[in-house]
Amino acid sequence: QVQLVESGGGLVQPGGSLRLSCAASGFTLGYYAIGWFRQAPGKEREGVSCINSDESSTSYSDSAKGRFTISRDNAKNTMYLQMNNLKPEDTAVYYCAAVSYVPVQAMCVPELYDHWGRGTQVTVSS
């Protein structure tokens, strides 16, 4: 059974950090393109950061550049999103996703991903 399970969300003050984890089961994450997406209330789901299967290309949204880092540990079949200098506008439900192939030019288009976690809430507030 293919499954992705996120963890690590929570409430953090502005300027703080969180590391999200996403554990995969039922498939080998290292063979897949992976991504982190988020959805704030009343907004569409957006790509935050994505990386292709051979890690030759990485994509970050403008809001994530310089603050967030995507990574994976193939031995643990787990992917991560390190988020630093968090801002209130980062508040959203964060989802991890995977797909066997995605073109580099569309690497962070959520509609192209077919395996999704259920999401973890990140709230940035003082």
Side-chain angles (χ1 to χ4, degrees):
Q1 181 182 359
V2 172
Q3 194 172 16
L4 292 168
V5 179
E6 301 96 337
S7 61
L11 173 64
V12 63
Q13 292 186 342
S17 297
L18 282 176
R19 188 176 82 154
L20 304 183
S21 300
C22 174
S25 59
F27 68 108
T28 302
L29 197 62
Y31 295 145
Y32 284 68
I34 59 174
W36 286 95
F37 301 82
R38 69 186 184 186
Q39 189 165 19
K43 294 188 176 181
E44 294 186 352
R45 191 170 298 188
E46 64 173 352
V48 175
S49 181
C50 303
I51 187 167
N52 61 353
S53 57
D54 64 5
E55 302 189 10
S56 60
S57 294
T58 306
S59 172
Y60 289 94
S61 65
D62 289 341
S63 62
K65 285 178 184 175
R67 299 190 299 128
F68 295 2
T69 303
I70 189 172
S71 63
R72 73 168 112 205
D73 184 334
N74 291 336
K76 294 182 178 180
N77 218 30
T78 300
M79 56 191 283
Y80 304 96
L81 183 68
Q82 177 67 43
M83 304 187 294
N84 299 327
N85 190 23
L86 282 161
K87 304 175 181 180
E89 51 264 41
D90 294 318
T91 296
V93 177
Y94 283 71
Y95 301 87
C96 61
V99 65
S100 58
Y101 171 77
V102 63
V104 170
Q105 64 271 25
M107 196 159 50
C108 238
V109 174
E111 289 79 7
L112 299 181
Y113 284 72
D114 53 12
H115 299 318
W116 288 87
R118 292 189 175 184
T120 185
Q121 176 70 46
V122 172
T123 302
V124 185
S125 175
S126 55

